[in-house]
Amino acid sequence: MIYGSGDAWRQAANRRIALFGMSGLGKTYLSNMLRAAGDWFHYSIDYRIGTRYMGEYIADNFKREAMKVPLLRELLMSDSVYIASNITFDNLAPLSTYLGKPGSPSRGGLPFDEYRVRQDQHRRAEMSALLDTRHFMNRAMDIYNIPHFVCDSGGSICEVVDPDDPDDPVLAALERDLLMVWIRGSDAHTAELVRRFDRAPKPMYYQPEFLEKAWVAYRVEKGLQGEEVNPDDFIRWTYARALAHRQPRYEAMARRGVTVLAEEVAEVKTPADFTDLIARAIDRKD
């Protein structure tokens, strides 16, 4: 680790961390809180994916839908209107909408082959965004003179790396430059995430092998062809399984850094609280 002790972390002129873990446990909460203090640069992986790497895909999909409306088609063809997504750190809906859900087109689903294409686009985009971390870390100092840096990773980071490979290029790059911090949730947190997802199922990225198996198993269990699948029902069915699939991958990643509990994160109110939390986590590691 780049900080050998809690004291080394406290005294560092440049504190640099990468937060990872399930969505909904506090990564973006911490990142926003730190950014608001003024001396932390917040690098959002999901925002980078949705703007730099998938922005054109997203905008083209909007245009494809607009071309189905005669008035908008005429305006687009004459360059009279401009269509773009309005992604922010707190609103990533254009990205998740583009990623979509597989299943019946009449229910808003995508054909599975097209869904896999978009999943692969996301995988490549996420890896590229993660490898851009050092670039943004340097920009934070060179342009803005902001000393501290937080990389706010997406929940699917564990799906685009090989946590058990010591030479995984993405993890090796992150570990070289930042302290890896896993926010670990309890069984109660997982149950709450599942309940929350059930109320409002949202698109997400899956490891290809996991997705293929889930797609087959779901259709066999339900006795459905792909075009008969209810997209929301499929991703609800898959969500808890995806969380269970990710847990050991997060655990393997955490061996490269430190672990904090979601309950501890909930108690953090200030950057000083956060500094103390990470110092304790580093010393616990020893």
Side-chain angles (χ1 to χ4, degrees):
M1 296 190 302
I2 63 173
Y3 306 102
S5 67
D7 283 342
W9 158 261
R10 293 178 190 276
Q11 296 168 16
N14 305 109
R15 300 189 190 106
R16 295 166 175 168
I17 60 164
L19 300 173
F20 67 94
M22 291 187 296
S23 297
L25 294 183
K27 297 188 302 292
T28 300
Y29 161 72
L30 289 175
S31 298
N32 286 335
M33 182 268 294
L34 293 171
R35 183 182 72 233
D39 57 355
W40 282 83
F41 187 95
H42 175 190
Y43 176 50
S44 167
I45 294 297
D46 284 338
Y47 180 79
R48 178 70 168 169
I49 291 170
T51 52
R52 171 64 176 84
Y53 291 108
M54 293 188 71
E56 188 172 310
Y57 296 136
I58 294 167
D60 283 353
N61 193 49
F62 290 162
K63 293 171 186 176
R64 196 174 293 113
E65 293 300 314
M67 287 291 284
K68 298 175 184 177
V69 180
L71 174 62
L72 293 178
R73 184 182 190 282
E74 181 179 342
L75 293 172
L76 276 174
M77 294 298 290
S78 62
D79 289 329
S80 299
V81 295
Y82 175 74
I83 294 179
S85 67
N86 186 30
I87 288 180
T88 67
F89 282 8
D90 299 315
N91 179 19
L92 299 164
L95 174 59
S96 62
T97 298
Y98 174 75
L99 198 57
K101 311 166 188 176
S104 169
S106 66
R107 295 177 172 177
L110 292 169
F112 191 67
D113 286 345
E114 173 62 22
Y115 182 70
R116 286 191 300 182
V117 167
R118 298 188 186 192
Q119 288 273 304
D120 186 61
Q121 290 170 347
H122 191 283
R123 180 187 62 81
R124 289 183 280 111
E126 185 164 2
M127 293 176 68
S128 296
L130 287 163
L131 289 171
D132 285 344
T133 300
R134 171 175 274 199
H135 170 68
F136 277 89
M137 196 168 64
N138 291 336
R139 287 185 70 199
M141 284 295 296
D142 293 344
I143 299 176
Y144 306 108
N145 197 31
I146 297 178
H148 309 309
F149 184 92
V150 53
C151 173
D152 176 10
S153 75
S156 55
I157 182 175
C158 66
E159 306 281 30
V160 301
V161 300
D162 182 351
D164 295 315
D165 179 2
D167 298 318
D168 180 86
V170 173
L171 291 179
L174 292 174
E175 186 181 14
R176 177 191 63 212
D177 294 329
L178 306 98
L179 176 65
M180 303 284 289
V181 178
W182 179 31
I183 301 178
R184 187 177 72 192
S186 65
D187 290 344
H189 286 110
T190 300
E192 176 55 30
L193 292 177
V194 171
R195 284 193 293 270
R196 192 186 308 169
F197 189 88
D198 189 64
R199 290 194 298 269
K202 296 179 181 179
M204 59 188 290
Y205 173 80
Y206 306 99
Q207 184 193 47
E209 294 83 357
F210 171 85
L211 174 62
E212 293 285 349
K213 291 177 181 178
W215 181 245
V216 171
Y218 173 84
R219 289 184 295 121
V220 169
E221 180 180 309
K222 304 291 184 178
L224 299 172
Q225 298 298 314
E227 65 275 10
E228 298 173 319
V229 169
N230 180 323
D232 284 343
D233 189 59
F234 171 72
I235 64 170
R236 284 190 179 103
W237 183 91
T238 305
Y239 184 69
R241 293 167 175 82
L243 295 188
H245 168 76
R246 289 180 175 184
Q247 190 72 3
R249 301 179 71 86
Y250 288 139
E251 290 176 0
M253 288 175 60
R255 291 196 288 268
R256 298 172 180 258
V258 300
T259 299
V260 297
L261 303 180
E263 292 89 346
E264 294 176 306
V265 168
E267 298 297 319
V268 172
K269 306 301 180 187
T270 67
D273 293 342
F274 180 74
T275 297
D276 291 341
L277 173 62
I278 300 303
R280 292 194 301 271
I282 294 172
D283 289 337
R284 280 200 304 254
K285 181 94 171 180
D286 297 336

